[in-house]
Amino acid sequence: MAPVRPDTEPAGIDAASGLDEEQLAAVTAPRGPLCVLAGAGTGKTRTITRRIARLVATGHVAPGQVLAVTFTARAAGEMRTRLRLLGVSGVQARTFHAAALRQLRYFWPRVVGGERWQLLEGKLRIVGQAAARVSAGTDAASLRDFAGEIEWAKSSLVTPERYPAEVAARHRDTPGPAEQVAAVYAGYEALKNGAELLDFDDLLLHTAAALEEHGGVAEEFRDRYRCFVVDEYQDVTPLQQRLLDAWLGERDDLTVVGDANQTIYTFAGATPRHLLEFGRRFPEATIVRLQRDYRSTPQVVAAANKLINAARRRPAGSRLTLIGQQPPGPEPDFAEYDDEPAEALAVARQIRRIVADGTPPAEIAVLFRINAQSEAYEQALTEAGVPYQVRGGERFFSRPEVRRAMSLIRTAGEVDAPLVEAVRAILAPVGLTPEPPGGAAQRAQWESLLALVELAEELLVVEPEADLRRFAAELGTRADSAHPPAVQGVTLASLHAAKGLEWDVVFLVGLVDGTLPIQHADGDEAAVEEERRLLYVGITRARRRLSLSWSLARQPGSPRRRRRSRFLHGLIPEHHPASRVAAEPARGGPKPRCRVCGSPLFGADATKLRRCSGCPSDVDVELLDRLRGWRSEQAREQNVPAFVIFTDATLTAIAEQRPSDPGSLVGIPGIGARKLNRYGDAVLALIADG
C-alpha cells in the first residue's frame, strides 16, 4: 500500500511508519554522510524530516544541535511544521542566508567588533554609482544586469580581479565588456564596504571567513551544531558549499537531498556537481534513490519521464526514472492557438469550467517561462470572474488588510470562544463576511482574511490548546520567515517560481521555441538542457491534470510564424489534433520527418541530422572525432577554413547515421556530387574503420 501523502500525516506519528522501502532506508541510515537522490514527488521533505525525528528519538542528537538549510523561507517553515507534527521542536530550519545572518550577528563582536554593519536590501543604487564612475550604462535594465552579474560572481567565488579571466574561460555572456563589468563590480564593493553595508552574499562570505579564520568561533559553533541537513542540494553555489564546508569542519554528519533533473539555477551560479560527486567526496556515504512518485498520476509521470529521458549528456546520478503511484488520470492535453490572447481566453474558460465542477481555484496554476506572459492571463481570468494570485507579486504579510488583521489579533483581549470562532469574530468588522463579496479587489482582500482563519485551523491540528496569544505569535513567526498561507485563487507563476509547489491542475502555456527554450539559450547545449529541466519542473508540479499549449502569433492578425517548443516533440501522441508542427506551407513537396519521433523537420541542421533538435542524439563519438581530425588535415592542406570541407552539422549527421555506401552518404544534405567525388571514399573508409 502506498504511504500516506505527507500533507495528511497525523500528529505524533512514529518517524519510521508508513514509509516505502527506499524512504525507510534513508530514514534509518546510520549516522554519517547520507545522499538522497530524490525525484519529483517522491516525498523528500517527508523523508528528511522523518530522518531528523529518528536521529533525535534515538538519542544521536538533540533538536537544537540540528541545522537544516533550505533554499526558501517557505520550505524552511514547512520543515518546522512537519517536525512539530512529529513531536520535534527546536531544530534550526532556515535558509542559508537566514542561518548565516543569525550566526554573523552573534559572532560579530568577536570577529569584527564595533557596530554591526547594516544589511543592504537592494543594491541598484550603489551599482548605479559604481557604473557612473566608469562611464557604464546607468539605465534600469543595465543596472539590473550588472547587479545580477555581481551576484553570480560572488556566488561563484569570483573576485573583481579574476572576473575577466573567469568569464572568458567559461564562455559566459556578460552584460558588457568583461573589464567594464569588473570595474563596476570593484566599484560596488568599495562603495558598499565604505558605507559599512553587507549584501546577502556577504552574509555567507563573512560567516564562512569567521569560521575559517577564528578557531574559537569555529569550536563554539561546532560544539553547538552536530548534525547538518541540506535540501535542494543540486542548487548549491560554490559560495554556499564553502559555508557548508566551514560549518562541517572535519565532521561528516551530513544529509543532503536533491535531484539533478531539477537543476534550474546554473545561471545564478548553482551547480549539481556537489550532489553528483557526493559519493566521491565521502566514499563511505549511504546513497539512496527515491523514484516512487506519490504526487502525480502515471500519465503525468510518463510525460515527465519522456521529456527528461530525451536530455543530452545526462550525468549518471541524474538518471532517475519516476514510477507513478497514484491512480490513473486523464492523459495530458495539448492545444494550439492562433495568438496569445486566444490562448489566454481559452485557458481562462477552461479554468472557469474546472472551478464550476468543484476544483478549488487554489488547486489550479498557470505557469509560464517569463513574467511578462502573466498579463494576458490576469486579464482573461478577471474577465472570466475567476480569482487569482500572482506568485512573486505583493507579499502576503505586506498587504494592508493582513497587517490590520494581525494588529487586531495581537491587541485583542481574551475571547471566550474557540480559536477559529474568535478569529472570525475579530476579522468580521474588517471584511470577513460569511460569503465572498463581488468585485476582484474586494474578493482578493476577503481571500486574504479567510487565509488567516485557515491558518488558525492548521495551528489547532498541531496545538489543540492554542489560543489567540499563541496564534498571534505564530503569525509573527510566519511573517518574519516569509511563510505565507495558501490563498484561494488560481496561481499565476513563472516556472522558476513554481519550484517546490504542486497543484491538482496545471496549465503550461506559451510553449514556443524562442520562449521555451528561451531565445538566448539557442546554440548553447547546456543552456538548452537547462530549459528542458525547467519544463520538467513544470510538468511535475501537476497532480492529476496537465495541459500544455502554445500560440502561433503574439497578436491577432500577426503572421503565424511561431513553432511549438522543440521539447514537445515525442510528447504529443501522433493521433492528437495538435500533433502537427506549426509552420508556413512547405514548398516542393512534403517536409522530411524526424527519424526519432516522426515530426516534420525545419531548418538546415535538423534536416541534415534527420532528427529534431530536441530528440536524443545517437552520435558515434569516436567516429565524430576521427572525422574532425580528418577535416582539420584537409583544411590545412587546402589552406581553407574547416567548414568549407564539411560543416559541424554535416559531420555530426555522418557520425549519427553512419552511411555505408555512396548513395546513403549523398543522401545527407550538404553532401552533393562534387563533395562525394572528392571526399566520399575517405569518409566511407573512416566509417568502415570503426
Side-chain angles (χ1 to χ4, degrees), residues 197-486:
L197 295 170
L198 299 171
D199 64 23
F200 284 97
D201 293 313
D202 289 332
L203 298 178
L204 277 59
L205 282 165
H206 286 289
T207 303
L211 294 167
E212 292 164 350
E213 299 169 10
H214 298 268
V217 168
E219 183 179 357
E220 181 178 344
F221 175 85
R222 292 168 190 160
D223 185 61
R224 166 70 189 276
Y225 293 107
R226 306 291 183 87
C227 177
F228 299 87
V229 177
V230 184
D231 192 13
E232 304 286 4
Y233 195 52
Q234 78 279 353
D235 283 330
V236 294
T237 65
L239 174 55
Q240 289 165 335
Q241 183 63 43
R242 176 182 167 185
L243 177 59
L244 177 60
D245 290 341
W247 285 340
L248 281 169
E250 298 299 319
R251 298 168 300 171
D252 64 356
D253 203 342
L254 171 65
T255 296
V256 300
V257 188
D259 178 10
N261 290 332
Q262 298 187 69
T263 304
I264 58 173
Y265 293 106
T266 61
F267 66 89
T271 171
R273 177 171 57 86
H274 306 294
L275 174 69
L276 297 174
E277 296 179 357
F278 191 83
R280 188 179 305 170
R281 176 178 177 182
F282 299 104
E284 72 284 11
T286 300
I287 310 292
V288 178
R289 291 169 174 261
L290 303 185
Q291 299 183 103
R292 304 190 206 197
D293 186 330
Y294 298 101
R295 174 188 300 160
S296 306
T297 64
Q299 288 76 11
V300 172
V301 168
N305 284 335
K306 282 182 183 177
L307 174 70
I308 205 64
N309 286 341
R312 303 178 186 179
R313 308 191 185 199
R314 294 174 71 197
S318 70
R319 293 173 190 162
L320 296 174
T321 299
L322 299 177
I323 306 167
Q325 304 294 303
Q326 291 294 323
E331 292 289 342
D333 182 55
F334 300 87
E336 179 181 278
Y337 299 96
D338 286 338
D339 51 65
E340 286 184 5
E343 183 181 4
L345 180 61
V347 168
R349 287 174 175 172
Q350 289 181 65
I351 290 174
R352 184 171 59 189
R353 288 195 296 270
I354 294 169
V355 171
D357 289 341
T359 300
E363 288 297 341
I364 304 171
V366 179
L367 307 182
F368 32 77
R369 174 62 179 86
I370 55 177
N371 289 321
Q373 293 171 275
S374 175
E375 184 178 357
Y377 293 89
E378 294 178 45
Q379 181 176 342
L381 289 170
T382 298
E383 293 174 356
V386 177
Y388 66 86
Q389 56 174 329
V390 181
R391 186 164 181 82
E394 182 184 25
R395 294 184 177 182
F396 178 82
F397 289 107
S398 297
R399 297 176 185 176
E401 68 273 16
V402 174
R403 291 203 306 269
R404 185 179 180 194
M406 289 175 62
S407 175
L408 291 173
I409 291 168
R410 280 196 305 269
T411 57
E414 293 189 12
V415 178
D416 188 18
L419 176 61
V420 173
E421 292 182 18
V423 173
R424 283 187 176 277
I426 291 169
L427 300 184
V430 292
L432 185 62
T433 55
E435 296 297 327
Q442 289 181 316
R443 175 67 179 258
Q445 293 175 3
W446 184 86
E447 297 281 4
S448 298
L449 298 176
L450 183 63
L452 294 176
V453 175
E454 291 169 349
L455 275 184
E457 294 172 344
E458 288 181 23
L459 180 61
L460 288 176
V461 173
V462 183
E463 302 179 29
E465 303 302 319
D467 56 12
L468 272 177
R469 181 178 298 177
R470 175 67 189 88
F471 181 53
E474 174 71 7
L475 290 179
T477 299
R478 279 178 169 260
D480 290 342
S481 61
H483 182 205

